[in-house]
Amino acid sequence: MGLRDNRLNILVLNYEFPPIGGGAGVVSYDISKRLAEAGHQVTVVTMGFEQLPSYEEKDGMRIYRVKCIRKKKAVCYPWEQLSYILSTMLFLRHHMKENHYDINHTHFIIPTGPISYWLKKKYGLEYVITSHGSDVAGYNQKRFKFLHKILIGPWRVIVRNAREVISPSLYLQELLEKSGPGLKQYPIIPNGIEMETYLPLKKREKKKHVIVMCRLQEAKNVQTVIRGFARFVLKTEYGDWRLDILGDGPYREILEELVRELGIEDKVQFHGWIPNRSERQLELLGQAKVYVSASTFENCPMSVLEALAAGVYPLVSDIPAHRQILPVEDQLFGTNDVVKLSEKLMEAAQLTDWSLPLDISTYDWNAVMQKYEEVLQ
């Protein structure tokens, strides 16, 4: 990765860290792991959950899990996030007496940023923040609009005092500039992907399977995928196709009921929470022929990159984050356009071979980590 002669002692903060949380947690794990591989000392302080150990050493990282209120792996509510803030500050009051860090890499402006701001004021520890979307006003107006409105003052203080605030996408950079104009430049460093993990999946035999991989929340819009798939699969010639849904979340029961209403229970399987890059996830992704995301908004969607690297034909909703990765009209459909999605599924079903004029090498972790090293030094 380079810069090995300038090793750092790095404190990483994130309330989402595998095996809990979603894509942002996986991203923070991958960055931290690769920093450790480069010779830096990396200490992570994250949320405790059920029987997870309060301390472990893994992939070169020291991982502390503080006691918190959290009921679900896939979802963390604001009051649960508050418990992480309080527990982490209490933990660090003792921890910082015997530990020195060169830089604090924080994930999420809110809820994690207040801890980083406190650390800077109390101990003089500089911090760099990677934003992930839900911590920026305008990203999820329905779910976070009220919180963003009341927290905009503290949000700007946290951003102003950060050494850097990193955006993984142009779309999020624009939202950051709108919420915090003139506070920062918000450099773009995209989320990365382990190409060596997914590229071998291209060689696997593809089955008549459509795959979805996401948290099951309303904004992920899996309901549109299910409706589009139903129009497609209820046609006799496509009746042997299957839909695999990987993920869990508060919208799962509604989606399961929709499947029953549409009469396609025998053609849709909810696999629940499957760890990213696990043998089971790679098996299901490797055998799928078509990947679909109908999200109403995204930051830098990792599952799209994983599908592309694995040779799974992508169909995605027409939103800025998807267009940044896939600026190809044939792959796009209107966010709630069930008819168009079903038509594109029919087209995809006929393909025997395909290729896209895309280069996703810029999302390879080796390229991404060079940029992170430069920012953290």
Side-chain angles (χ1 to χ4, degrees), residues 60 116 246 363 373:
S116 304
L246 282 62
Y363 296 97
E373 288 248 25

Side-chain angles (χ1 to χ4, degrees), residues 104-110 112-113 116 127-132 135 158-159 162-167 372:
N104 166 11
H105 185 198
T106 290
H107 294 267
F108 293 100
I109 301 166
I110 298 291
T112 326
S116 304
Y127 61 95
V128 170
I129 297 181
T130 295
S131 177
H132 292 282
D135 53 345
I158 293 164
V159 168
R163 179 192 289 180
E164 294 282 6
V165 177
I166 297 166
S167 170
Y372 265 107

Side-chain angles (χ1 to χ4, degrees), residues 237-307:
E237 61 268 42
Y238 305 116
D240 54 350
W241 279 71
R242 299 290 180 270
L243 173 62
D244 290 316
I245 299 176
L246 282 62
D248 208 342
Y251 220 59
R252 178 169 175 170
E253 290 185 7
I254 295 172
L255 296 173
E256 290 175 331
E257 178 59 30
L258 177 60
V259 168
R260 287 190 289 270
E261 289 176 4
L262 295 171
I264 54 174
E265 302 99 309
D266 61 330
K267 303 181 187 302
V268 179
Q269 184 171 353
F270 288 85
H271 294 269
W273 183 273
I274 298 179
N276 194 263
R277 296 194 296 271
S278 65
E279 184 177 342
R280 182 58 174 157
Q281 188 230 11
L282 297 178
E283 176 189 3
L284 291 167
L285 181 60
Q287 71 183 14
K289 185 173 182 179
V290 182
Y291 162 88
V292 182
S293 171
S295 290
T296 56
F297 55 85
E298 288 282 357
N299 175 19
C300 183
M302 301 306 298
S303 60
V304 177
L305 295 169
E306 291 167 358

Side-chain angles (χ1 to χ4, degrees), residues 167-298:
S167 170
S169 68
L170 177 61
Y171 169 63
L172 190 59
Q173 184 191 58
E174 291 172 350
L175 291 180
L176 283 162
E177 290 172 344
K178 185 175 180 180
S179 291
L183 298 180
K184 284 286 178 292
Q185 294 297 315
Y186 309 111
I188 295 176
I189 303 180
N191 295 337
I193 181 174
E194 282 189 353
M195 294 292 184
E196 65 273 17
T197 297
Y198 294 97
L199 289 176
L201 301 183
K202 285 187 175 182
K203 300 178 181 179
R204 296 191 184 180
E205 181 183 357
K206 305 302 180 185
K207 299 181 180 179
K208 295 179 178 180
H209 286 210
V210 177
I211 192 169
V212 170
M213 301 184 294
C214 64
R215 288 195 197 194
L216 302 187
Q217 299 170 326
E218 184 177 5
K220 294 298 184 179
N221 204 21
V222 180
Q223 55 272 27
T224 289
V225 180
I226 291 172
R227 291 189 176 100
F229 178 77
R231 286 179 60 93
F232 161 73
V233 81
L234 291 176
K235 294 182 179 293
T236 304
E237 61 268 42
Y238 305 116
D240 54 350
W241 279 71
R242 299 290 180 270
L243 173 62
D244 290 316
I245 299 176
L246 282 62
D248 208 342
Y251 220 59
R252 178 169 175 170
E253 290 185 7
I254 295 172
L255 296 173
E256 290 175 331
E257 178 59 30
L258 177 60
V259 168
R260 287 190 289 270
E261 289 176 4
L262 295 171
I264 54 174
E265 302 99 309
D266 61 330
K267 303 181 187 302
V268 179
Q269 184 171 353
F270 288 85
H271 294 269
W273 183 273
I274 298 179
N276 194 263
R277 296 194 296 271
S278 65
E279 184 177 342
R280 182 58 174 157
Q281 188 230 11
L282 297 178
E283 176 189 3
L284 291 167
L285 181 60
Q287 71 183 14
K289 185 173 182 179
V290 182
Y291 162 88
V292 182
S293 171
S295 290
T296 56
F297 55 85
E298 288 282 357

Side-chain angles (χ1 to χ4, degrees), residues 138-152:
Y139 181 77
N140 188 340
Q141 290 283 37
K142 186 170 184 179
R143 186 180 177 196
F144 298 113
K145 184 177 181 179
F146 177 71
L147 279 175
H148 285 309
K149 187 174 183 179
I150 64 174
L151 293 175
I152 187 61

